[in-house]
Amino acid sequence: MSTGKYTIVARDSYNIPYYYMVLAYTEETAREMFDEANTGKIIEYCYPMPSNITYSTVKQITPDVFEVR
């Protein structure tokens, strides 16, 4: 089974949205991995990432969690 990619939209204390890509097998695992990354942001949405999405900026936070723009 290959690792899936999940998009997480999280907001900080000022309600500014941030986008993350998480490499995980399930949505539950993606949420757990995001929490373990200690970003200090609250998850608003988590959904499978469409395969046709590309990002201009990717910042690696942990081996499986990336901040994307």
Side-chain angles (χ1 to χ4, degrees), residues 19-68:
Y19 296 86
Y20 295 89
M21 177 178 66
V22 181
L23 306 178
Y25 292 109
T26 66
E27 180 180 335
E28 182 181 350
T29 306
R31 288 175 179 270
E32 289 173 4
M33 293 167 81
F34 180 80
D35 289 340
E36 290 172 4
N38 291 323
T39 62
K41 296 176 180 63
I42 305 298
I43 295 174
E44 189 168 301
Y45 301 108
C46 180
Y47 52 90
M49 190 173 100
S51 60
N52 61 349
I53 299 283
T54 58
Y55 295 106
S56 60
T57 305
V58 177
K59 176 181 162 190
Q60 188 169 14
I61 297 173
T62 68
D64 298 309
V65 178
F66 302 84
E67 184 176 350
V68 293

Side-chain angles (χ1 to χ4, degrees), residues 10-18 40-42:
R11 294 188 182 268
D12 65 7
S13 59
Y14 298 104
N15 208 28
I16 298 171
Y18 291 84
K41 296 176 180 63
I42 305 298

